[in-house]
Amino acid sequence: MIHRKRLELPRHIYPADQWKMVEKQFYPKLLGQTETIFSISNGYLGIRGVFEEGLPSFDNGTFINGFYESWPITYGEEAFGFAKTGQTIVNVTDSKIIKLYVDDEPFYLPTAKLLKFERTLDMKSGTLERDVVWELSSGKQVSIKSTRLVSFEHRHLAAISYTVTVLNAKAPVVITSEIINNGADNKTQKEEDPRRARRFEQKILQPELHYIKDTRLVLCHSTRNSKLSLAAGMEHKLETDCSFSYLSECSENKGKVQYMVDAKPGKPINLTKYIAYHTTRTAPHTSEELCNRAKRALSRARKFGFEDLLRGQKRYINEFWKKSDVKIMLNKSFSKFSTTEIQQAVRFNIFQICQATARVEGAGVPSKGLTGQAYEGHYFWDMEIYLLPFLTYTNPSIAKNLLTFRYSMLDKAREYAKRLNQKGAMFPWRTINGEEASAYYAAGTAQYHINADIMYALKKYVNTTGDYDFLYEYGAEMLVETARLWSDLGFYSKNKSGKFCIHGVTGPDEYNTVVNNNLYTNLMAQENLSFAINTVESMKKAKPDLFEDLVHKTKLKDSEIEEWKKASEKMYIPYDKKKKIHPQDDEFLNKEEWDFKNTPSDKYPLLLHFHPLVIYRHQVIKQADVVLALFLLNNKFTDEEISRNFDYYDPRTTGDSSLSVCIQSIVASKVGYMDKAVHYARNAALMDLADLGGNVNDGCHIASMGGTWMVFTFGFAGMKGNGGLLSFSPNLPSHIDKLRFPLTYRGNLIEIEIDQKNISYKLINGKKAVLLHDKKEITLTTAKPVIKRSLKFIKKD
Amino acid sequence: MIHRKRLELPRHIYPADQWKMVEKQFYPKLLGQTETIFSISNGYLGIRGVFEEGLPSFDNGTFINGFYESWPITYGEEAFGFAKTGQTIVNVTDSKIIKLYVDDEPFYLPTAKLLKFERTLDMKSGTLERDVVWELSSGKQVSIKSTRLVSFEHRHLAAISYTVTVLNAKAPVVITSEIINNGADNKTQKEEDPRRARRFEQKILQPELHYIKDTRLVLCHSTRNSKLSLAAGMEHKLETDCSFSYLSECSENKGKVQYMVDAKPGKPINLTKYIAYHTTRTAPHTSEELCNRAKRALSRARKFGFEDLLRGQKRYINEFWKKSDVKIMLNKSFSKFSTTEIQQAVRFNIFQICQATARVEGAGVPSKGLTGQAYEGHYFWDMEIYLLPFLTYTNPSIAKNLLTFRYSMLDKAREYAKRLNQKGAMFPWRTINGEEASAYYAAGTAQYHINADIMYALKKYVNTTGDYDFLYEYGAEMLVETARLWSDLGFYSKNKSGKFCIHGVTGPDEYNTVVNNNLYTNLMAQENLSFAINTVESMKKAKPDLFEDLVHKTKLKDSEIEEWKKASEKMYIPYDKKKKIHPQDDEFLNKEEWDFKNTPSDKYPLLLHFHPLVIYRHQVIKQADVVLALFLLNNKFTDEEISRNFDYYDPRTTGDSSLSVCIQSIVASKVGYMDKAVHYARNAALMDLADLGGNVNDGCHIASMGGTWMVFTFGFAGMKGNGGLLSFSPNLPSHIDKLRFPLTYRGNLIEIEIDQKNISYKLINGKKAVLLHDKKEITLTTAKPVIKRSLKFIKKD
């Protein structure tokens, strides 16, 4: 169920377009929302959709993935082992500002008379464009066009092409391009919403050095506590037939280049602004080197020009869509969606994942991507469970990067486990630098399942790519340490007939914390253990040398593997014989029912209106928990169990987390509740466009975007790949005529097309792909599709 | 069990003496401990046992009960309903300082050559004395004697008599008496031990005005945030045969009076210093008035003189002992105690309660009394459960004051319940001003049992005193609101055959938090409900007018009383049929056993060495929980149940809380485990003297002191009073020949004397006292004792 108000796709703001998000009017009340929607990013650098003028703005933000400030976490009451140091992604130097003055009048949207306003996020070119015509009181009309991009090809680069044309008169035009360290954030108000980022009271970025030469400026700063360094620079080129002069100046925290142009009617004045960001996690004395890197990047950019960046952008994005686009053709409205609308919404979701992950190298994916500071820019489990499936099936090299990044944090995970008196390694619930930054352990540290989640993603990655080298070289070590953790954490309980029980953990559902035998956790831990066992055993045979290394690195003993086997075999799987369902945990079914009837919609999300104790006391669920297990580990349940569990848990699920509806849709599909599945699918796809959570101001819900992709592939197309060959049992809603999407599978690019009767398998690129259809292998060797009758579940509603 | 290292009574520090705590040497390493032990207080004003010189000192503290500073509680992650404002008792203006210079050499204990050092807390005169002989390098010998008191009669007054005699020479002697605002606390180090008080970074006390006239000085300050005002003043009188002059000066934050004396050999120089503290909780503009009050108090004190204060002190303390002394005569060592030793230890415990409660008026009793700043000077449930029994049976007017103080917080408790979406009233877990100050809800707000604890103490008070006026005028309103809370909090669970269950609460044991159906809580809630029902029903008949008022004030409906009846009747009482014990909560028996064997003693208390999640996962108990219910509600259990429960829970109890051993001793007595009972009794009595918790530095464990009294009365004497007439089923350890103590019972002062054969009841003061002996009423009308054969449990070990 979704209990809160459901919003409509705001057509007046974003008219339907298959490949574009277009805003046709300036909506001052929607600043926060549109700043998020029109964010551009390449996964390394992200710039919120704030206007070039910098004002008006809801939350002017520029972020570098993994560039954070640390701060001591204070507790009203301390306890042993609590996380000590918070980490917050920094709102870095703002380099995008371009201010315009005509007849010395500043261009300022809220007061300007606009003859035209259009803003476009072009998902096929990877650019953000704005096209405005401004009429001054004098009657002079000025066209202002800008195109902004964060380069996919050159991860450190962004650029803006800014063209001003006084249409009907002569006028003095001044264009000021600025770069400024706003001091990150010095709002001191207390944040009541725990999901928003910490506000710092002091300037975080401390000046290191600054550089100016002609129209090229670089500011270098370093963070106060975390000691990270940053160089942000800009370079310019003005092209016009009008005469102009310029000046430039720079100090520690700001710089500008100002052009004074004598504009002639109809003659465009084009300024290209190149922006570069370079960061280092090493000591601050490399500022000079960073500065030089920024200078070189800017020179190169100016040399090749804006058109070159645009071409590169298109090249990248075309390639991206080839591997990732989900094509949907409707025959009737899909819960009020037209074909164009659904296409736009789904593509927006996929495009934002692209922006969040394209050039993530040596970092993770923050839960808001780089579209906002909420959740402190931390990496959570949603990276592995909600994003990695998409990446694994469309761009496995990025998936590999992210898993490698997790591996790089293994040593810290070992230390963390030790600090908590636990064996093996324990990955932090939320982090940037590998250290636990969760200040509320009940909905943080207690979520041990993240360890199994990462291993789950690893298994999916290996199975989908066949990349056993990665498994043996990096994966195995993580498997050993996480298996150790589980084996140490649980115990054999007499009260549960000697079964292996795991107590005092929190599952995905944060409305039921610190519970015993969370079904999801126990099942995922079992999966983790058996994957570890299989890996070390197969490795021992297949790669004895690497196995030797592993034993050397981890001091692995044979007896441990026996322990894992026992724990895995004896894992306690809660089951209620009366209700014939799997209890979410040992106590869940004993709790009082939540009074949904008398909870008005403005009391959602519950976490903002009820004390945790009140929530914890009830059978009320924030997000899919058992239902997530039904999806991820569907092979561990019978169809009847899936159906009964879904029937029980779905009405008790608020969907107060954005991680929920996508999973609810997928499982509804499996059960055959197609109306529900469609309804939830629409909610997932609209999470941000319709601001379903009411907080899109603070950034995109990237996990839900990954979930939206899963709704169409795992949900409607019934894709399955756990452990064996890829197969499909589509359950296409009657609204959809055709559903088509590409997949990268064991080195091949294939395309799946599903209609109400058939499923077609096509090899787009590669030599030979083997899949399962109706439990039989099919082999694709040419581009000629293999077409089969679709197998459907029996529908229940 | 007690798993941590057991310390011995440090005889070398405190030699055995029935009525005195004497320190025969200066122990610089034990500064913190002795500062606590030698604290003096009257419950309104407390001064730690810091030397007059002010240095050396571990934690120089002066406290006014209820005088606090507030501060915003910050959370790494916020959640709805979390407590917003912390409160910390303030370390106020230090008025006790007297510095001494002889031949311009400062007297400083660590470097002084001491021919004599003796410090005495005299429990029969209510004074702290020091007697020192200091030999200078020149061979001059100086006797320094001081007597310090905080007046029981005049709650705002303290005084020091300070006598210096140069024994064998002439010498210039300078005595400087100081008053100083040390700025409360400006240590900025982070406190890792959650039990210690918050350190402020800024001066809390802001100067308001200061006054000086001759040798009388007053400093007025107010707190920065909580806006409380304080006047601290001093007045002096020097008496000597030697010639002297003096000067005095005063500024905002300090003042001094300095005497320059030409000392003659053998001629004493006596300085009397009178100290006054006045505070207000109203607006700061009353500083002038406060200052005047302090001036008047000082004049009066000087007029009547130190001897008068000493006499008053003795009067009060004599009266106190008459009503409170527990006399113990041993025939053999009581777990290494001699008669004198046990007498000293028990009296020390009782004396500290006297100091913590004597003049508590309009405030509560902080968990450290006024001997330290730990636990922020907050009032917890231990006031009602551990202290009120002693007060109810020895000084009911103080018990009444404390219950009246709780009543004064009822409105805030109503607001708090409302904020947490609950009906009725919810008393805060920890507070000074009535607002919840617990920053860790799992071991704070979740301890709903405090509401039933207060009502339990109310019932005991009414039953013991017969004060039904108080019950109807104040108690009934609290009963209605707490009954409402319980009735709203629980629910009728299908899974428990329709029983009334209470979920998501924490019992007394803080090693198992946020649990379902905590036995203690459910039983106490039931008791609360039935007391509420009985009270309103009897009131309706007996005092219809007052009942009308109650209905008017609380909008009480008849239907509510029916709801309470149903909830009370259907209350779920967890019981395990296999083990034949009462589970501490629904999940406790399912948890993993703690590995006590492999937990070295330096890992206790566990809370300082293990993450809460690790602790919560195990069958490990911080403090008596089920066992506390066995004591408080013994009439709800059969003897066999008490015995079996104790057998199960005792070995799993760490006693990491000082609230535990006293209860363990009482129940061990009931079960007949006399060796255990004696062992625990000794631990309770030595809690502070042997520094059992390792933190006596931070203040006395006042609750354990109340518990120590209960060990002898409820435990060994087997006193019972729940609901009916007082009775005794003694279970005297074989080590004790005689146990004698007075009780104030329904307006009479009676004395109970128990030996190995008989029990003797005696009326000391009053007209007629009715008690139960062997289920029959006995009536005491004269001072002639009624002597009966003692009834014993069958011993089991």
Side-chain angles (χ1 to χ4, degrees), chain A residues 447-461:
Chain A
Q447 297 203 44
Y448 283 77
H449 66 83
I450 189 172
N451 297 284
D453 299 334
I454 299 170
M455 295 306 99
Y456 179 93
L458 171 68
K459 185 175 174 185
K460 182 159 262 175
Y461 167 78

Side-chain angles (χ1 to χ4, degrees), chain A residues 440-441 503 516 587 590 617, chain B residues 440-441 503 516 587 617:
Chain A
Y440 179 55
Y441 72 82
H503 278 198
N516 299 340
E587 280 288 293
N590 293 330
R617 226 169 253 144
Chain B
Y440 179 55
Y441 72 81
H503 278 199
N516 299 340
E587 280 289 291
R617 227 169 253 144

Side-chain angles (χ1 to χ4, degrees), chain A residues 563-593:
Chain A
E563 281 169 31
W564 304 346
K565 278 183 186 166
K566 191 180 161 200
S568 166
E569 274 159 26
K570 296 224 152 211
M571 184 67 69
Y572 175 67
I573 309 301
Y575 187 73
D576 186 278
K577 282 181 186 160
K578 245 193 203 164
K579 293 199 164 67
K580 294 186 177 173
I581 58 164
H582 293 77
Q584 182 170 314
D585 58 63
D586 280 353
E587 280 288 293
F588 186 84
L589 299 181
N590 293 330
K591 293 187 180 179
E592 189 173 4
E593 297 281 357

Side-chain angles (χ1 to χ4, degrees), chain A residues 729-743:
Chain A
S729 325
N731 205 42
L732 209 59
S734 57
H735 326 59
I736 301 183
D737 255 354
K738 237 180 229 174
L739 171 64
R740 189 167 66 213
F741 53 87
L743 293 173

Side-chain angles (χ1 to χ4, degrees), chain B residues 631-645:
Chain B
F631 162 46
L632 295 181
L633 301 169
N634 50 68
N635 53 340
K636 302 216 173 188
F637 300 88
T638 65
D639 288 351
E640 289 69 33
E641 283 171 352
I642 291 176
S643 172
R644 275 196 305 269
N645 278 310

Side-chain angles (χ1 to χ4, degrees), chain B residues 206-246:
Chain B
Q206 304 295 301
E208 290 285 337
L209 59 85
H210 57 280
Y211 158 94
I212 179 167
K213 191 182 171 196
D214 207 7
T215 58
R216 192 168 68 179
L217 280 73
V218 182
L219 303 183
C220 281
H221 287 87
S222 67
T223 53
R224 192 181 280 269
N225 301 323
S226 59
K227 307 291 180 208
L228 305 182
S229 296
L230 167 83
M234 60 180 189
E235 170 61 295
H236 304 79
K237 187 167 190 179
L238 190 89
E239 289 167 295
T240 181
D241 286 347
C242 314
S243 63
F244 69 95
S245 65
Y246 72 91

Side-chain angles (χ1 to χ4, degrees), chain B residues 62-126:
Chain B
T62 303
F63 308 106
I64 306 286
N65 191 355
F67 192 83
Y68 70 95
E69 176 60 322
S70 55
W71 42 275
I73 304 179
T74 57
Y75 297 90
E77 288 178 44
E78 272 278 356
F80 178 87
F82 276 9
K84 300 269 180 245
T85 310
Q87 305 150 31
T88 298
I89 195 168
V90 175
N91 186 358
V92 296
T93 313
D94 184 3
S95 313
K96 76 178 159 303
I97 304 298
I98 300 175
K99 290 179 179 161
L100 171 68
Y101 307 83
V102 176
D103 278 345
D104 285 334
E105 290 291 327
F107 173 60
Y108 179 57
L109 276 167
T111 52
K113 182 176 175 193
L114 299 174
L115 303 184
K116 180 179 186 182
F117 176 96
E118 195 169 292
R119 190 149 56 142
T120 306
L121 181 69
D122 187 329
M123 300 187 282
K124 252 199 150 165
S125 62

Side-chain angles (χ1 to χ4, degrees), chain B residues 325-330 334 337 342-343 345-347 349-350 662 665-666 669 677-678 680-682 684-686 704-719 728-733 736 738-741 743 752 754:
Chain B
D325 188 26
V326 174
K327 187 99 184 129
I328 304 151
M329 281 145 281
L330 303 182
F334 179 95
F337 265 136
I342 194 169
Q343 203 59 77
V346 169
R347 284 190 178 131
N349 280 269
I350 295 174
C662 50
S665 171
I666 294 169
S669 282
V678 163
Y680 287 144
R682 190 171 170 277
L686 286 188
S704 172
M705 292 167 155
T708 301
W709 179 83
M710 293 199 286
V711 161
F712 287 89
T713 51
F714 291 98
F716 297 142
M719 182 159 94
F728 297 82
S729 326
N731 206 43
L732 209 59
I736 300 183
K738 236 180 231 176
L739 172 63
R740 189 168 66 215
F741 53 87
L743 292 174
I752 308 298
I754 295 166

